[in-house]
C-alpha cells in the first residue's frame, strides 16, 4: 500500500507542476509592464479633446469620475474612445474592464461594445459606431442577436481580423467573418466584468472573467494572426431601437516580455498586412451546440491534465480494489 501512496504523491506533484503554467498564463496586473500611454484608468486624467490628450472621445461618450459611458441607455446613440498614441509594442495584452447594464428585459437590449486595434481611429460607421471596412483587429461583445436564425446564446463575444476588404455584417452578427467566439453572461451583473485580449507571436487569445471568480476563462485562442505595430487601440458602442448603458471602467495595456529572432526584429512591423492563416475558412464556421470554446484545440497542458486525471482515476480504482481484495481475504481467512 505504501507504494500506492508514493505513486499518488508523485502524481499530485506532477499535477501541481502541470497546473502552474496555467496559473501564470496571463499577466497578473504586473504594474512594471503597464503602459500608461496606452491605458485608460480612473480618474481619467488627460481624457478629452485637447492636444496633449492621450485619449479622444467621440459621439455620445461621457466621461465621469468613475466610468466612461460610450452610450447611455437611450435609442440610437453612438460613442467611441480612442488612444491617440500608436502602439509600437510587438507583444501586448489589453485588460478591458467594462459594464453593460440597462432597464431592457431579456433580449430587449443592445447592441454591445467593440474593442479595436486598427489603423484608423475616430472613423465612424455602422459597426458598433465604427467603420465596417477597418484594417486590424476587432473583438465584439455583441449583446443583441440580429440574426433571427441564430442558435447561439447571446451575449456573444467574437473576434475578426480585417485588411479592409471585408465588411462586418451586422445583420448576421458578423458570423461570416468571425475567427472564433463564445457566449458570456456579461449584462446587468452585480460584480465587475473583464475581457483580456492578448496578441503575441502571431497568436490571438481572448479570455473572459465575468463570474466574479477572479480567473480567466478561455474564449478564443488562434494562431497565425498577423497584425502590424503602429495601430490604435479603441473601444466603441452603439444602441439602435434597443439600448443599454455601455461603460468602460478601464483599459489597461501590458507589455509582454517576449524574445524574437533577429530576423523577426529586423522586419518592418509597421508594414505587416492584417491577416489570418486559417486551416479552415471562417465561412466554414459551424456552431457546436454549446456555442462555447469552439475552434479551440487541446493545448499541451490540457492533454496532460486529461491524461493525469485518467491516471489518477486508475490509481484510485487500484487502491480501492486492493483494499477490498485485502478485506475479503482477511474475511475469508476468518471463515476457514
Ligand atoms: C485581404 O484579404 C483578402 C481575403 O481576406 C485577400 O484575398 C487579399 O489578398 C488581402 N489583401 C491584401 C492587400 O493583403
Ligand atoms: Ca448583434
Amino acid at each position: 500500500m505504501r507504494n500506492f501512496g508514493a505513486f499518488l504523491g508523485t502524481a499530485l506533484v506532477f499535477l501541481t507542476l502541470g497546473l502552474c503554467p496555467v496559473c501564470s498564463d496571463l499577466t497578473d496586473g504586473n504594474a512594471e509592464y503597464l503602459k500608461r500611454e496606452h491605458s485608460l484608468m480612473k480618474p481619467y486624467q488627460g481624457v478629452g479633446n485637447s492636444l496633449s490628450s492621450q485619449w479622444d472621445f467621440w459621439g455620445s461618450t461621457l466621461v465621469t469620475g468613475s466610468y466612461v459611458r460610450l452610450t447611455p441607455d437611450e435609442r440610437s446613440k453612438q460613442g467611441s474612445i480612442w488612444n491617440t498614441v500608436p502602439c509600437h509594442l510587438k507583444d501586448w495584452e489589453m485588460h478591458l474592464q467594462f459594464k453593460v447594464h440597462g432597464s431592457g428585459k431579456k433580449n430587449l437590449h443592445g447592441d454591445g461594445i467593440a474593442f479595436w486595434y486598427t489603423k484608423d481611429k475616430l472613423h465612424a460607421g455602422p459597426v458598433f459606431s465604427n467603420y465596417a471596412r477597418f484594417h486590424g483587429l476587432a473583438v465584439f461583445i455583441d449583446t443583441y442577436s440580429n440574426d433571427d436564425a441564430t442558435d447561439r446564446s447571446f451575449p456573444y463575444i467574437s473576434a475578426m481580423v480585417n485588411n479592409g476588404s471585408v465588411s462586418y455584417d451586422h445583420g448576421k452578427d458578423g458570423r461570416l467573418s468571425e475567427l472564433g467566439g463564445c457566449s458570456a453572461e456579461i449584462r446587468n451583473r452585480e460584480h465587475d466584468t473583464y475581457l483580456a485580449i492578448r496578441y503575441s507571436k502571431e497568436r490571438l487569445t481572448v479570455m473572459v472573467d465575468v463570474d466574479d471568480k477572479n480567473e480567466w476563462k478561455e474564449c478564443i485562442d488562434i494562431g497565425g494572426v498577423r497584425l502590424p505595430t503602429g495601430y490604435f487601440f479603441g473601444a466603441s458602442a452603439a444602441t439602435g431601437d434597443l439600448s443599454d448603458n455601455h461603460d468602460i471602467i478601464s483599459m489597461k495595456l501590458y507589455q509582454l516580455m517576449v524574445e524574437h529572432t533577429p530576423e523577426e526584429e529586423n522586419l518592418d512591423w509597421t508594414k505587416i498586412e492584417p491577416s489570418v492563416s486559417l486551416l479552415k475558412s471562417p465561412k466554414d464556421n459551424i456552431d457546436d451546440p454549446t456555442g462555447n470554446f469552439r475552434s479551440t484545440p487541446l493545448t499541451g497542458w490540457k492533454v496532460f491534465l486529461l491524461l493525469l486525471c485518467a491516471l489518477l482515476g486508475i490509481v484510485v480504482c487500484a487502491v480501492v480494489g486492493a483494499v477490498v481484495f485485502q478485506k475479503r481475504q482477511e474475511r475469508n481467512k476468518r471463515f476457514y
Side-chain angles (χ1 to χ4, degrees), residues 203-245:
R203 187 164 165 203
L204 174 71
T205 315
V206 176
M207 306 248 179
V208 290
D209 175 2
V210 298
D211 293 323
D212 205 19
K213 290 197 191 123
N214 200 20
E215 64 185 24
W216 296 113
K217 207 166 121 185
E218 193 176 292
C219 177
I220 300 166
D221 185 8
I222 48 168
V225 177
R226 292 179 50 79
L227 293 171
T229 58
Y231 277 16
F232 296 98
F233 293 114
S236 70
T239 63
D241 287 343
L242 302 169
S243 63
D244 252 337
N245 295 296

Side-chain angles (χ1 to χ4, degrees), residues 110-112 128 141-147 154 156 168-174:
D111 281 301
F128 299 86
I141 307 169
D142 190 350
T143 54
Y144 181 73
S145 168
N146 295 75
D147 186 0
F154 278 71
Y156 191 81
Y168 172 92
D169 187 348
H170 192 72
K172 294 239 171 286
D173 301 305

Side-chain angles (χ1 to χ4, degrees), residues 18-91:
L19 279 173
C20 264
V22 184
C23 321
S24 56
D25 217 5
L26 280 191
T27 313
D28 233 354
N30 192 335
E32 204 180 337
Y33 305 129
L34 178 73
K35 293 292 168 183
R36 292 195 171 270
E37 65 271 32
H38 300 301
S39 298
L40 175 75
M41 289 176 289
K42 286 182 212 175
Y44 314 116
Q45 271 154 357
V47 175
N49 296 322
S50 73
L51 279 178
S52 63
S53 148
Q54 289 175 349
W55 290 86
D56 271 343
F57 61 90
W58 173 86
S60 55
T61 302
L62 174 78
V63 182
T64 75
S66 47
Y67 55 83
V68 174
R69 180 155 292 167
L70 299 173
T71 78
D73 190 2
E74 294 166 20
R75 290 168 139 208
S76 302
K77 296 291 179 186
Q78 302 196 315
S80 65
I81 185 150
W82 287 92
N83 193 194
T84 60
V85 186
C87 174
H88 289 290
L89 304 171
K90 296 184 175 78
D91 305 273

